[in-house]
Amino acid sequence: MSDNQSWNSSGSEEDIEPREEPGHLVGVVDLSGVLSKWTNYIHGWQDRWVVLKNNTLSYYKSQDETEYGCRGSLCLSKAVITPHEFDECRLDISVNDSVWYLRAQDPEHRHQWIDSIELHRADSGYGSESSLRRHGSMLSLTSATSGYSATSTSSFKKGHSLREKLAEMETFRDILCRQVDTLQKYFDGCADAVSKDELQRDKIVEDDEDDFPNTRTDGEFLHNNNGSKEKLFQSLSPKGINGIDFKGEAITFKATTAGILATLSHCIDLMVKREDSWQKRLDKEMEKRRRIEESYKSALNELKKKSHFGGPDYEEGPNSLINEDEFFDAVEAALDRQDKIEEQCQTEKTRIQRSSPVPPGDVYSSAGTHRFSDKVEEMVQNHMTYSLQDVGGDANWQLVVEEGEMKVYRREVEENGIVLDPLKATHSVKGVTGHEVCHYFWDTAYRNDWETTIENFNVVETLSDNAAIVYQTHKRVWPASQRDVLYLSAMRKILANNENDPDTWLVCNFSVDHDDAQPSSRCVRAKINIAMICQTLVSPPEGDKEISRDNILCKITYVANVNPGGWAPASVLRAVAKREYPKFLKRFTSYVQEKTAGKPILF
């Protein structure tokens, strides 16, 4: 039985799994609540009762219908949870091709849901660090042993000579060790024999001098020098010490060392070749890995760019798979939802009493002194010259809406496939002055009361008492992309040249650039050139009565030139403009009438 097999049979999960210390255990809590779920491009976001339990996310139409069974569920073991890049309340949950788009009521609730989902995934054995260690350890030991065996077998098949040479090296090593021991014994014997011979030689010399025979230690008598020398050589003969053949051992030792050197040389050559081969394989594998990583990154980027068809991120574009009818239905459904929400909030907005100081009228008589003064003056003069012209003649204005005193005209203009239709509307409103209408249109303190399309806005820079640079983002109307706009808003009073003619109040909004509000990838930057031009007509009161709001009438001319900054079907844009502009004028003028009712007239 191999090592890894015996380990697998004796090992247990308790041996592998790390034990968490007390105080570090995290409880998994079930969670339920209301989340908005994206349904389709007609119905958009719908509130659903969502339940997180037993590593499963389920949703119901409402909390009251939980007993009838869920409408859908996702197993979270292999789910991918993605917080949205821009929408702080949204999270997307995907399992293979199934994607749920969910929105919480605020960022805190989104974080709570994400944390709870991650805890359930970790408790199920996926995604947690302990589970990765547990499953990874068993796999690592098993695969390491089997991988070594496979690699070794493959290596020996390709490098059979190297294995044989290594075995030869082991044999040579054993032979060499035995030879060294034999030679060492021979050298030790030689050293002992030399020492004994010197002692005997000294004794022979003494015996010669005394002319007496001497007895050697071995019992032999030496009577002359020739005899002693003969005995000495006889003791130092090659086979006289332990029977060792020194010449033969020396030849064998030399042959062994030569074999070792030859084998080492052969091993080095084989290892160099193997190193070159492995280096080539390594380079090939690294190149293959680099290409795979590049392909993965490219595919990931393409996947991020390509939004899921039918999802809330499906972008507009000339290559859109949504036809114009579906596009219009989706936009109209989204606008209807916004109107419904706005009707519910409108009553509360009108109840809020806001007061904003009204500067004296002479403040609006000039463009002021700031870096955009000349541009403001140019825009004002253009609007006074062209915007007040009659819609007849060669201007090609088409009447698209007529409701009582209100008329809306349009000229069809397209540039590079983008609809740039100028729009012009005229209206007459009783009981308000041109100053009041322009004041509520220009003052940002009242903006959210009557503007329903804005998601948020802020004043980037205040240029003067009657001019400011404003940045605002508009609510996204799916499937169109979200828009933002950066513009300079200026309010002016134009005195009449004739005393019988009324003065003119004007608010012009036109796009500018500013370092503190650069375009971003989140929104498409639109360009605007808009003017609200108002004149107040006063009818004389009867008798000695003071002028009341019944005696005043405001004539409004509203012009808008908007470049949406991106592609959308021309028919859809024109249909939306035909629907929304009249609603905007009626809503705004009604708001001004409500705000000024019972207040002193502001001429």
Side-chain angles (χ1 to χ4, degrees):
M1 181 180 292
S2 62
D3 293 341
N4 60 314
Q5 289 174 334
S6 62
W7 187 90
N8 284 331
S9 61
S10 61
S12 65
E13 188 173 342
E14 293 181 356
D15 298 329
I16 308 166
E17 185 174 4
R19 304 178 186 273
E20 296 187 2
E21 299 178 2
H24 289 77
L25 294 174
V26 181
V28 178
V29 181
D30 297 339
L31 184 63
S32 61
V34 176
L35 292 176
S36 295
K37 183 179 182 296
W38 178 263
T39 54
N40 53 55
Y41 64 84
I42 294 296
H43 299 96
W45 297 97
Q46 298 290 333
D47 289 343
R48 294 290 183 261
W49 182 260
V50 182
V51 177
L52 174 61
K53 186 176 182 180
N54 297 331
N55 194 38
T56 301
L57 193 68
S58 309
Y59 80 92
Y60 307 81
K61 187 173 183 180
S62 64
Q63 186 177 4
D64 298 332
E65 295 189 4
T66 53
E67 59 184 9
Y68 301 117
C70 68
R71 297 205 168 198
S73 62
L74 286 177
C75 179
L76 300 175
S77 297
K78 297 183 180 180
V80 178
I81 297 92
T82 307
H84 198 265
E85 184 178 3
F86 303 119
D87 191 342
E88 296 181 351
C89 298
R90 181 176 145 192
L91 64 151
D92 301 344
I93 304 176
S94 59
V95 178
N96 298 328
D97 294 334
S98 178
V99 184
W100 284 14
Y101 306 97
L102 303 173
R103 292 187 85 254
Q105 60 183 356
D106 51 50
E108 288 74 17
H109 280 82
R110 184 185 77 165
H111 292 317
Q112 181 182 1
W113 277 97
I114 292 176
D115 293 342
S116 299
I117 291 173
E118 292 293 352
L119 286 176
H120 275 259
R121 293 178 70 246
D123 185 66
S124 69
Y126 290 87
S128 65
E129 184 179 357
S130 62
S131 67
L132 289 177
R133 286 199 301 267
R134 180 172 68 251
H135 299 298
S137 299
M138 178 76 75
L139 183 62
S140 299
L141 291 172
T142 306
S143 61
T145 308
S146 60
Y148 173 77
S149 302
T151 305
S152 302
T153 305
S154 175
S155 301
F156 290 146
K157 286 180 181 178
K158 292 185 178 180
H160 193 64
S161 297
L162 181 61
R163 184 179 181 182
E164 288 183 348
K165 293 301 176 182
L166 291 175
E168 289 179 8
M169 290 290 295
E170 290 290 332
T171 303
F172 280 132
R173 181 179 67 85
D174 295 338
I175 294 174
L176 193 62
C177 288
R178 290 195 296 269
Q179 290 176 344
V180 168
D181 291 339
T182 301
L183 291 174
Q184 186 63 46
K185 291 179 181 179
Y186 179 81
F187 294 143
D188 292 341
C190 289
D192 293 340
V194 169
S195 298
K196 292 179 180 179
D197 183 68
E198 289 178 351
L199 291 174
Q200 292 174 358
R201 186 177 300 170
D202 293 339
K203 289 181 180 180
I204 290 173
V205 171
E206 291 177 359
D207 292 342
D208 289 341
E209 288 178 354
D210 295 335
D211 199 22
F212 285 106
N214 256 342
T215 304
R216 291 181 57 89
T217 57
D218 55 1
E220 295 182 3
F221 293 94
L222 300 177
H223 298 281
N224 50 50
N225 290 338
N226 293 334
S228 64
K229 286 181 181 180
E230 223 173 87
K231 193 70 175 176
L232 177 62
F233 287 132
Q234 194 174 16
S235 65
L236 292 177
S237 63
K239 295 185 179 180
I241 299 177
N242 297 327
I244 297 174
D245 183 4
F246 176 76
K247 185 176 181 180
E249 291 293 335
I251 293 173
T252 305
F253 182 83
K254 184 177 180 181
T256 304
T257 53
I260 291 176
L261 292 176
T263 304
L264 282 176
S265 178
H266 194 183
C267 289
I268 292 173
D269 292 340
L270 289 175
M271 286 187 287
V272 169
K273 292 179 181 179
R274 290 293 301 279
E275 183 181 8
D276 293 340
S277 175
W278 280 109
Q279 185 63 45
K280 291 178 181 178
R281 292 182 63 180
L282 177 61
D283 294 341
K284 188 176 180 180
E285 290 297 324
M286 291 181 66
E287 178 64 20
K288 185 177 179 181
R289 177 177 178 177
R290 184 186 65 80
R291 291 179 181 176
I292 293 175
E293 289 178 348
E294 289 179 354
S295 300
Y296 171 75
K297 290 179 181 179
S298 177
L300 190 62
N301 291 333
E302 290 297 326
L303 185 63
K304 289 181 179 179
K305 292 178 181 178
K306 185 177 180 180
S307 301
H308 189 74
F309 179 73
D313 292 322
Y314 194 75
E315 297 291 349
E316 64 184 44
N319 299 319
S320 174
L321 299 179
I322 303 177
N323 59 45
E324 291 192 10
D325 291 337
E326 292 176 329
F327 202 107
F328 176 75
D329 291 341
V331 170
E332 189 175 40
L335 293 174
D336 288 340
R337 286 194 298 271
Q338 290 185 7
D339 291 343
K340 185 176 180 180
I341 296 173
E342 186 61 28
E343 288 176 3
Q344 297 173 353
C345 301
Q346 191 63 36
T347 304
E348 298 180 2
K349 288 183 178 180
T350 55
R351 291 175 182 172
I352 301 175
Q353 297 295 326
R354 292 187 178 87
S355 61
S356 178
V358 180
D362 55 356
V363 171
Y364 303 106
S365 300
S366 65
T369 55
H370 50 79
R371 65 182 184 279
F372 290 103
S373 299
D374 294 339
K375 184 64 175 178
V376 171
E377 187 64 29
E378 178 186 350
M379 299 299 293
V380 169
Q381 293 304 320
N382 287 338
H383 284 301
M384 291 299 296
T385 302
Y386 301 106
S387 299
L388 294 178
Q389 287 182 352
D390 187 55
V391 293
D394 298 331
N396 295 324
W397 289 101
Q398 302 174 9
L399 179 64
V400 293
V401 176
E402 183 174 7
E403 296 181 10
E405 296 292 333
M406 181 175 58
K407 296 179 181 180
V408 180
Y409 303 87
R410 178 182 68 214
R411 282 194 298 115
E412 294 188 358
V413 177
E414 290 189 24
E415 183 177 328
N416 297 326
I418 299 176
V419 176
L420 305 175
D421 293 354
L423 183 138
K424 184 174 184 177
T426 60
H427 196 23
S428 297
V429 184
K430 293 183 179 180
V432 296
T433 66
H435 188 180
E436 291 170 336
V437 172
C438 288
H439 171 68
Y440 285 103
F441 185 74
W442 178 79
D443 197 334
T444 56
Y446 306 99
R447 183 67 52 83
N448 282 328
D449 290 349
W450 55 266
E451 180 60 271
T452 61
T453 64
I454 292 179
E455 184 174 85
N456 54 63
F457 76 94
N458 64 286
V459 178
V460 178
E461 182 181 356
T462 301
L463 301 174
S464 64
D465 291 337
N466 66 338
I469 297 177
V470 180
Y471 171 76
Q472 64 189 31
T473 57
H474 292 263
K475 297 175 183 177
R476 185 186 179 192
V477 180
W478 191 91
S481 299
Q482 189 173 21
R483 257 67 178 179
D484 65 356
V485 61
L486 177 69
Y487 62 93
L488 187 151
S489 181
M491 181 174 171
R492 289 289 305 279
K493 177 183 179 182
I494 310 298
L495 299 176
N497 295 327
N498 190 334
E499 61 180 8
N500 294 325
D501 295 334
D503 296 335
T504 301
W505 288 87
L506 180 145
V507 176
C508 63
N509 299 336
F510 57 92
S511 293
V512 294
D513 295 325
H514 199 282
D515 294 338
D516 294 339
Q518 297 291 338
S520 66
S521 59
R522 176 182 178 182
C523 299
V524 176
R525 179 64 56 89
K527 301 292 184 180
I528 65 170
N529 182 7
I530 294 173
M532 176 77 75
I533 307 171
C534 303
Q535 293 177 330
T536 305
L537 303 180
V538 181
S539 59
E542 297 179 359
D544 296 333
K545 293 182 179 180
E546 295 183 356
I547 297 176
S548 66
R549 294 195 174 274
D550 295 332
N551 302 115
I552 58 178
L553 178 70
C554 180
K555 294 183 64 176
I556 298 175
T557 300
Y558 179 80
V559 293
N561 292 272
V562 179
N563 183 342
W567 182 91
S571 60
V572 175
L573 287 178
R574 286 168 180 150
V576 170
K578 181 179 178 180
R579 162 186 163 148
E580 292 301 311
Y581 277 112
K583 287 173 58 178
F584 151 70
L585 271 180
K586 287 191 292 185
R587 180 175 63 249
F588 172 67
T589 53
S590 298
Y591 170 79
V592 176
Q593 287 176 323
E594 292 176 3
K595 296 295 289 187
T596 56
K599 293 183 179 180
I601 301 174
L602 182 64
F603 286 101

